[in-house]
């Protein structure tokens, strides 16, 4: 069985849902408490034992690459000012991982973005993480998926149950429960099904562990939902070809690509922060009490 060594993170999207905040900065660089969203994703990758990150980028996204790079000038200034703790923290960020970038030259969809990684990934299974989905869990979500992969040696999509009236927003998986904990054998998947066209509430969240055969499937995938080349459509053909599992991960997922989801992530992460947690709780309590009593 091949080891999982690489993670692909598509970051080419425009971030229109966060305009005007994202007019001049990538949405992946929006801050959650004290670090950009993308750093949480990369930290999950690192904590799962992955060695290399492949970013699929587009024009205007160089801030993300710079964030994970060493900044000599900044380091020199911090050294002069004896800001050692901060220097150490920044050094940790830049040493987190090896980052390779591939440009997606045209916005043809998520499937096309992943296909762009084919030469860098090569003939080995790999992870895909979507930057909008933040998962907080004891065992990193990707680690949970790698542990399952070591038992099934097949592709896996992470899923969660969603209310039936929200299924049209997701890739939806239909399948049968297996003898393995929280694991389903996938029978069919559909990208953003029209209401009433699927009975399943199992939604794909942005974590995938994929066999390299997905690239051949992506190469043959025609534009689907929204006129874009959809990863879900390629995964449906991979399901038919060699099998696929869906895994109900343990943890809490935030849709950080949505304003309310983003705010929830900020609040929850800040509440667990060693110094900000307590004063924030006090503040929230006072705000809520005022609301109730006018
Ligand atoms: C993408 C995928 C979809 C998945 C979702 C999870 O959609 O295409 O299958 O359920 O991410 O966040 P998007 O939200 O980018 O439109």
């Amino acid at each position: 069985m091949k080891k999982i060594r690489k993670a692909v993170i598509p970051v080419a999207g425009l971030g229109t849902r966060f305009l005007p905040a994202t007019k001049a900065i990538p949405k992946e660089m929006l801050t959650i408490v004290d670090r950009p969203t993308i750093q949480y994703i990369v930290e999950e990758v690192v904590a799962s034992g992955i060695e290399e990150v492949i970013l699929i980028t587009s024009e205007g996204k160089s801030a993300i690459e710079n964030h994970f790079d060493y900044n000599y000038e900044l380091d020199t200034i911090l050294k002069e000012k004896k800001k050692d703790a901060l220097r150490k923290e920044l050094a940790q960020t830049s040493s987190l991982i090896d980052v390779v970038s591939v440009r997606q030259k045209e916005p043809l969809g998520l499937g096309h973005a992943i296909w762009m990684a084919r030469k860098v990934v090569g003939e080995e299974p790999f992870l895909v993480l979507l930057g909008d989905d933040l998962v907080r869990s004891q065992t990193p979500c990707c680690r949970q998926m790698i542990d399952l992969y070591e038992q099934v040696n097949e592709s896996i999509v992470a899923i969660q149950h969603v209310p039936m009236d929200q299924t049209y927003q997701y890739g939806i998986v239909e399948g049968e429960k297996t003898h393995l904990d929280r694991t389903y054998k996938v029978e069919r998947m559909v990208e953003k099904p029209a209401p009433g066209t699927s009975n399943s509430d199992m939604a794909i969240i942005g974590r995938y562990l994929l066999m390299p055969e997905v690239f051949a499937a992506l190469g043959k995938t025609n534009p689907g939902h929204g006129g874009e080349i959809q990863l879900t459509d390629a995964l449906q053909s991979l399901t038919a070809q060699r099998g696929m599992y869906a895994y109900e991960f343990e943890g809490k997922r935030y849709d950080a690509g949505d304003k309310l989801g983003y705010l929830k992530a900020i609040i929850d992460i800040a509440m667990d922060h060693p110094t900000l947690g307590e004063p924030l709780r006090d503040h929230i309590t006072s705000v809520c009490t005022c609301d109730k009593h006018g």
Side-chain angles (χ1 to χ4, degrees):
M1 183 182 305
K2 285 193 179 161
K3 196 171 174 255
I4 310 291
R5 303 186 304 138
K6 299 177 181 176
V8 175
I9 310 181
V11 296
L14 278 177
T16 42
R17 283 197 280 176
F18 277 93
L19 281 170
T22 49
K23 190 175 169 208
I25 57 161
K27 66 171 175 172
E28 294 78 10
M29 292 303 290
L30 294 178
T31 310
I32 294 186
V33 186
D34 55 4
R35 57 199 67 195
T37 316
I38 187 73
Q39 193 171 332
Y40 291 89
I41 304 289
V42 169
E43 283 173 2
E44 180 185 328
V45 168
V46 174
S48 302
I50 301 300
E51 297 156 17
E52 186 176 321
V53 163
I54 300 148
L55 296 175
I56 311 298
T57 65
S58 58
E59 202 202 335
K61 298 281 182 165
S62 51
I64 303 173
E65 286 147 27
N66 295 341
H67 183 73
F68 293 103
D69 199 359
Y70 173 68
N71 183 329
Y72 178 77
E73 275 174 42
L74 182 61
D75 193 45
T76 311
I77 294 166
L78 292 176
K79 196 172 174 184
E80 276 165 15
K81 293 189 187 271
K82 300 203 180 348
K83 303 231 181 234
D84 289 334
L86 202 52
R87 264 189 87 207
K88 206 170 145 200
E89 192 173 341
L90 292 186
Q92 253 168 8
T93 308
S94 60
S95 67
L96 275 181
I97 210 143
D98 287 335
V99 178
V100 174
S101 313
V102 178
R103 279 273 182 127
Q104 184 188 17
K105 293 182 186 122
E106 287 172 280
L108 299 179
L110 175 62
H112 178 257
I114 304 305
W115 187 71
M116 294 302 300
R118 68 199 181 284
K119 289 184 189 145
V120 187
V121 170
E123 289 301 312
E124 54 184 284
F126 63 103
L127 289 162
V128 172
L129 293 92
L130 304 188
D132 284 346
D133 290 296
L134 280 192
V135 182
R136 298 186 79 209
S137 51
Q138 227 162 17
T139 306
C141 183
C142 283
R143 184 69 243 172
Q144 296 177 39
M145 295 173 78
I146 295 170
D147 291 344
L148 176 62
Y149 160 76
E150 286 168 357
Q151 297 181 67
V152 298
N153 196 16
E154 265 308 346
S155 299
I156 304 163
V157 291
I159 53 143
Q160 70 174 18
H161 296 281
V162 296
M164 280 310 279
D165 63 358
Q166 286 173 25
T167 52
Y168 73 93
Q169 298 174 17
Y170 297 92
I172 296 294
V173 167
E174 294 170 13
E176 285 294 319
K177 179 89 188 62
T178 69
H179 68 284
L180 296 163
D181 200 26
R182 313 173 83 91
T183 306
Y184 299 78
K185 188 93 180 49
V186 177
E187 282 160 9
R188 193 171 86 102
M189 7 179 120
V190 198
E191 179 67 10
K192 305 198 173 98
T197 57
S198 169
N199 292 327
S200 172
D201 69 348
M202 295 195 286
I204 302 174
I205 65 114
R207 299 290 181 277
Y208 308 78
L209 189 158
L210 302 175
M211 292 294 172
E213 285 79 1
V214 72
F215 293 121
L218 281 166
K220 290 186 212 139
T221 302
N222 293 320
H225 185 89
E228 297 188 340
I229 297 172
Q230 296 292 348
L231 178 58
T232 308
D233 293 344
L235 297 186
Q236 164 63 29
S237 80
L238 202 59
T239 301
Q241 190 191 323
R242 57 169 295 163
M244 166 92 53
Y245 289 86
Y247 175 67
E248 205 183 328
F249 65 98
E250 277 181 77
K252 185 165 179 187
R253 172 249 181 183
Y254 300 85
D255 180 3
D258 163 77
K259 282 179 196 160
L260 185 60
Y262 174 67
L263 285 176
K264 286 180 182 172
I266 292 176
I267 291 172
D268 286 9
I269 291 172
M271 292 227 280
D272 288 341
H273 190 276
T275 55
L276 299 172
E278 207 182 309
L280 180 67
R281 254 172 240 275
D282 290 347
H283 174 69
I284 291 175
T285 311
S286 76
V287 172
C288 295
T289 322
C290 279
D291 258 5
K292 260 190 219 147
H293 305 294

